[in-house]
Amino acid sequence: VEQIAKAVVTYDVSDLKQTELVTVPVTFLDEAGEELELSEYTTVNASNVNLTLPVLSTRKLELGVRLLAGGGVKEENAKVTIEPEAIQVKGSREAIEALEDVMILGDVDLSAISDHLEHTYNLVLPTGVSSISGETTATVKITITGVSSSNISISDIRLINIPEGFEAQALTGTVKVRVRGSTEEIRELQQARNNGLYIVVDLSEEDRLGAFTVTGNIVNEEHPAVSVADTVEISINMSANAPEPTPED
């Protein structure tokens, strides 16, 4: 017994293609690493051991973000860089095969970016998958290009659904609004008649008299890719129609 330096188990994994549970015999070695033959008077409490031999797959996993167009900014206006661009991961064959080609870090609302955004995301990997390269975060940088903003005047104000017995007049002559979109689309909008925009004020629920402020909806039918505010405040004056004279008997 004094000659035993350690106990080892050996198993050839060269042909192993998936995780396996195997039973292998225990081998005893001396200080020189030579195998010992135990005498018939030596007993061991376990001559075999059960081993779980996991087989892990690896792959390169690209990182990305999902761009949500809006505010006059399209996907092609966003230059995206991610550091790192990809990570090396490992896991069971089933877990690795279930991965998408690109791991989406999150959604980015382009309407909320004026010209530049930098954001760091935590790398949240699926269960059973871990990073080999060791990264735990990824930094996303987005630069907006080819987009312009401009102040546009709207003078086409339309009052609709004026209640019976009332007259209404818009006191606001023009309204300035901020528009945003591609440089070409902004140029086309500026060249369009009345900028292609008008304001609709629905008075169907109004019964007030005198001057007051109401909310008008900006209609943009000709340039839907250009971002413009949905509503604007308009000053109007409402008065009661003069009664028609009654014919004399």
Side-chain angles (χ1 to χ4, degrees):
V1 174
E2 289 80 3
Q3 298 178 23
I4 299 175
K6 58 183 174 181
V8 299
V9 292
T10 304
Y11 187 82
D12 183 3
V13 297
S14 58
D15 294 327
L16 201 61
K17 292 183 171 49
Q18 62 184 8
T19 299
E20 290 186 7
L21 177 63
V22 297
T23 301
V24 293
V26 178
T27 301
F28 298 93
L29 305 179
D30 61 17
E31 289 289 349
E34 297 294 331
E35 183 177 348
L36 295 171
E37 292 289 341
L38 300 183
S39 72
E40 58 181 316
Y41 303 106
T42 304
T43 60
V44 294
N45 61 358
S47 58
N48 296 294
V49 294
N50 295 324
L51 297 179
T52 299
L53 302 175
V55 175
L56 299 180
S57 298
T58 64
R59 64 164 287 185
K60 183 180 180 181
L61 181 60
E62 303 286 339
L63 304 179
V65 291
R66 184 180 296 105
L67 300 178
L68 306 179
V73 184
K74 302 175 183 178
E75 290 186 31
E76 54 262 37
N77 299 126
K79 178 182 178 182
V80 181
T81 59
I82 303 177
E83 180 59 38
E85 295 180 352
I87 59 174
Q88 199 72 19
V89 297
K90 66 179 180 180
S92 67
R93 184 182 64 180
E94 295 78 8
I96 293 298
E97 291 178 349
L99 293 175
E100 301 289 342
D101 292 335
V102 178
M103 186 175 83
I104 299 300
L105 302 173
D107 295 343
V108 177
D109 181 4
L110 296 179
S111 68
I113 305 176
S114 56
D115 51 26
H116 181 76
L117 171 73
E118 181 172 332
H119 184 74
T120 299
Y121 292 87
N122 292 322
L123 297 180
V124 181
L125 295 170
T127 301
V129 178
S130 59
S131 171
I132 299 175
S133 44
E135 296 91 342
T136 58
T137 62
T139 299
V140 177
K141 297 179 181 179
I142 300 177
T143 301
I144 303 301
T145 61
V147 173
S148 300
S149 297
S150 179
N151 290 320
I152 297 292
S153 295
I154 305 176
S155 58
D156 187 355
I157 302 174
R158 308 177 187 182
L159 308 181
I160 65 171
N161 297 326
I162 301 172
E164 186 177 354
F166 289 85
E167 293 181 354
Q169 176 187 11
L171 301 179
T172 300
T174 60
V175 176
K176 281 192 174 183
V177 296
R178 190 78 170 168
V179 295
R180 189 184 188 211
S182 72
T183 303
E184 181 180 352
E185 289 165 339
I186 293 295
R187 185 183 303 114
E188 292 176 356
L189 183 145
Q190 292 171 329
Q191 294 173 350
R193 181 182 178 185
N194 293 326
N195 299 316
L197 305 175
Y198 62 92
I199 299 171
V200 174
V201 181
D202 186 353
L203 300 175
S204 59
E205 302 297 324
E206 290 292 345
D207 57 4
R208 294 177 287 177
L209 295 176
F212 52 90
T213 300
V214 293
T215 300
N217 295 311
I218 299 176
V219 180
N220 177 19
E221 297 174 333
E222 298 181 17
H223 305 278
V226 175
S227 172
V228 62
D230 293 327
T231 61
V232 67
E233 296 300 303
I234 299 294
S235 295
I236 68 167
N237 184 77
M238 285 186 65
S239 58
N241 285 332
E244 296 182 3
T246 56
E248 296 182 358
D249 295 336

